[in-house]
Structure formats: C-alpha cells, structure tokens
Amino acid sequence: MLSTLLRSTLALLLIWALFSQCQDEPPAAVKQVYVSADRNETARRPSTECNFRYTVLNSFDKLNNDSQREAIRTGFTVWQQMCPNLGFLDFQATDRAHLVVRFVDPSEFPMPYMVAPVGLMDGRTGVGGTLRKESNGTYSLLLSNTFNWDKNSLTKAVAYHAGLFLGMPTSTEPGSLMALQFLDQPVVRSKADSVAINSLYKSTCTDLTVSYLPLTLKVSGPISKTIQLYKPGMISIKANGQMKVGDIVGTVGPEGATVFPVLPGYNKVSAMFHAALMYKINNEADWRYWADNQTFKVDNKQVVDLTFDINDDDQKNNTGAFTVVIDYQ
C-alpha cells in the first residue's frame, strides 16, 4: 500500500512539473489595468521649460472624436489647474510639439503587460500606455488601441503619463493621479499630487503668455503678441480680408486706400496709405508698411514681439478686420 501511495504521489508531482513547464506565459489576470509599465521613482524636473505643446496624431475608433479629445485635454489640464507655473497647449504642428499622442498596437510597448497576482499564481494584466523618448528629444505618448477606453480611463492614462513627462514620481496612493493601477476610480488630484507638482514648478512661467507659430490674428486696431520661436529663419506675414473705413474711403484691403492720395490728416503714419495694415518688431520706433514688408528674418532669439495696427487715426467708425497669418516661410 505504501508503494502504491508513493507511486501516486510521484505521478502527481510529475504531472505538476509538466504542467508548470508548459506555462510559456503567465495566465491572464483578473480584470484590472495598469495605466503604464513606466515609473518615476523620484521627483525630478526634466528641464527648465514650463509651457509644453502636445499634438494628437490619430484617434481611437471606439470612442467619438469629441469625447476623446476632451478626455486627452483634461488629462493635461488637470496638472496646470493644480500648478499655475506650467501649461499644456494643444498644438497642430507635429514637428513643433514636445509630446505626440498616438493610439498604437500594444506590441509597440516595451512592456505590453504587467505581472499581477491571480490567486496563488502570477498572471498578466493589461498596460494602457507608455511614454517613449524619441531620438530628437521629443516624447511620444503611446496608448493601446486594443483597450476599451472611455473618457475616464483615457483621462487617467494621459494624466499619469503627463505626470511622468513633468517629472512626477509614481505613487502607491490609490487616489493619486500618479497611481499605476486603474480601478475605474474618478480622476481627481490628491493633496500629495498638488504639493509635489508645485514643488517641482515653483517659478512663474513667463512662457504661458506667449504665442506659437503658426499664428492667426484678426486685426482691426492695435494688437500685440509675443511669439515663441524655435529656430532662426524667415517669418512670413500673410494678410487678406477687407475693412470698411468710412463712407468716403469705403472698403479697403490690407494694402490700404491705394486709390486715394495719402491722407496725412487722418493717418497715424502720414506717408503711408490710409487704413493700411502695418506692424512693428520688438517695439521699434517706426511702423512697417505690410504690403512692402511681408517677410522678416529672425536669428537665434527665443521670442519676438509683434505689434499690428491700422493706419487710421480714428478707428471707431471702422468695421471688419484683416486676417493675418504669421508663420515660418
């Protein structure tokens, strides 16, 4: 009888060993999601920048476009709502963005799943996204296109990776934006999140008041913009549209009232056509007539101040506006 019991025990052990060896991959875990396999162990601000441009390159086909854009935007803005010294700008020019958001197959992730306990064994659980630094120094936020995203989970994934991008540490606090595990909890900031982000970004961010190229303006009177540059080159100013500048002169384009003689008594600049579009660079003394100066060169300066106006000393009776588009040539 002992021999029979021993043989049975050995047979069970052999079956268990064979079963264990056949487990090439851990079994699927219970339904839970890790927003990322990426972690920051400590808080560390990655650069001195404080105003960041992001662009969304594609969309998730199981969530309507407006909802996912709002969810992504909320994932970024939750950080700037906590800290007035940083900002995120939804930017359309991909080549000028700090961060590009894309939905991809999770096979592109360095770690497409996390190992989590399933009873007495370890199993797999999904990963929502990853933050990847590209060779040009920008970042890609890659989100799984196989996960069943809703607005809440998408906002959580974006907020977590935006936090990593900003230098925030991963948290073990379930209510933190920086918690790895997503349990369908509401996406709200914790007190610890607020303290940590404000400790990283202490100084006033002057870049939050700047604009970026391409920039479109409606000009019907004086307007000034500080523009952030990202390279030297030629800047182009294109203008179109019409304004009505009184019953006598009538409707004019950005070139001004070219069919009339110069009207020095009604002009801000006596030698320039009446109601013409004009501009100044960096508060220079003299106005530039737009029609003769539609481009200008910039060097390695980081910002340029542009001021536009209409060459009319009495603008209160004018209607309409010129559309002005500023961009690299």
Side-chain angles (χ1 to χ4, degrees), residues 84-107:
N85 299 322
L86 66 87
F88 283 100
L89 176 67
D90 188 350
F91 201 67
Q92 299 305 310
T94 305
D95 60 332
R96 304 175 201 175
H98 296 95
L99 184 62
V100 176
V101 181
R102 286 196 296 132
F103 291 92
V104 301
D105 189 277
S107 61

Side-chain angles (χ1 to χ4, degrees), residues 42-320:
T42 58
R44 185 179 65 84
R45 184 169 171 173
S47 73
T48 58
E49 293 193 65
C50 52
N51 194 18
F52 306 100
R53 302 182 296 278
Y54 73 91
T55 188
V56 182
L57 207 58
N58 60 0
S59 59
F60 178 62
D61 58 8
K62 296 180 182 178
L63 188 64
N64 75 71
N65 192 60
D66 288 343
S67 293
Q68 60 189 288
R69 296 291 294 208
E70 181 184 348
I72 291 170
R73 188 179 301 113
T74 302
F76 287 112
T77 57
V78 67
W79 290 107
Q80 64 190 54
Q81 288 170 352
M82 271 188 286
C83 179
N85 299 322
L86 66 87
F88 283 100
L89 176 67
D90 188 350
F91 201 67
Q92 299 305 310
T94 305
D95 60 332
R96 304 175 201 175
H98 296 95
L99 184 62
V100 176
V101 181
R102 286 196 296 132
F103 291 92
V104 301
D105 189 277
S107 61
E108 292 194 35
F109 296 176
M111 292 182 62
Y113 61 84
M114 295 277 284
V115 176
V118 185
L120 298 177
M121 300 178 61
D122 285 337
R124 292 175 299 163
T125 187
V127 169
T130 190
L131 186 68
R132 184 175 73 192
K133 187 173 184 178
E134 307 296 351
S135 59
N136 62 359
T138 63
Y139 285 81
S140 292
L141 169 47
L142 306 180
L143 297 167
S144 171
N145 62 10
T146 63
F147 181 69
N148 190 25
W149 296 107
D150 58 20
K151 288 178 65 175
N152 192 49
S153 57
L154 184 54
T155 295
K156 166 64 178 176
V158 172
Y160 177 81
H161 289 96
L164 292 181
F165 174 81
L166 292 169
M168 287 285 290
T170 301
S171 174
T172 57
E173 180 186 351
S176 170
L177 293 175
M178 296 308 297
L180 267 177
Q181 195 172 356
F182 179 66
L183 300 171
D184 205 27
Q185 68 269 41
V187 180
V188 293
R189 56 186 184 263
S190 69
K191 183 177 180 179
D193 292 333
S194 181
V195 170
I197 194 64
N198 281 282
S199 296
L200 282 177
Y201 293 81
K202 297 178 180 179
S203 303
T204 300
C205 183
T206 56
D207 288 349
L208 294 178
T209 61
V210 304
S211 301
Y212 296 89
L213 299 179
L215 176 64
T216 301
L217 302 173
K218 292 289 188 181
V219 179
S220 59
I223 181 172
S224 296
K225 291 290 181 180
T226 298
I227 299 173
Q228 178 79 51
L229 304 172
Y230 76 98
K231 66 177 182 179
M234 294 297 295
I235 302 296
S236 164
I237 302 176
K238 297 179 180 179
N240 57 49
Q242 294 182 325
M243 290 184 62
K244 185 176 180 181
V245 290
D247 293 331
I248 297 176
V249 176
T251 300
V252 300
E255 300 84 1
T258 57
V259 297
F260 282 80
V262 173
L263 304 172
Y266 299 90
N267 292 347
K268 292 186 175 184
V269 180
S270 59
M272 191 184 299
F273 287 118
H274 183 65
L277 177 67
M278 56 188 185
Y279 68 94
K280 289 183 178 182
I281 301 173
N282 295 329
N283 299 311
E284 60 194 350
D286 297 325
W287 288 98
R288 303 185 185 203
Y289 176 44
W290 165 78
D292 290 342
N293 299 275
Q294 298 186 24
T295 61
F296 64 92
K297 187 176 182 179
V298 293
D299 53 20
N300 290 316
K301 291 181 179 178
Q302 292 187 332
V303 295
V304 62
D305 290 317
L306 282 183
T307 301
F308 291 90
D309 203 354
I310 306 300
N311 189 29
D312 185 353
D313 213 20
D314 183 9
Q315 298 177 357
K316 63 180 181 294
N317 296 320
N318 298 345
T319 58

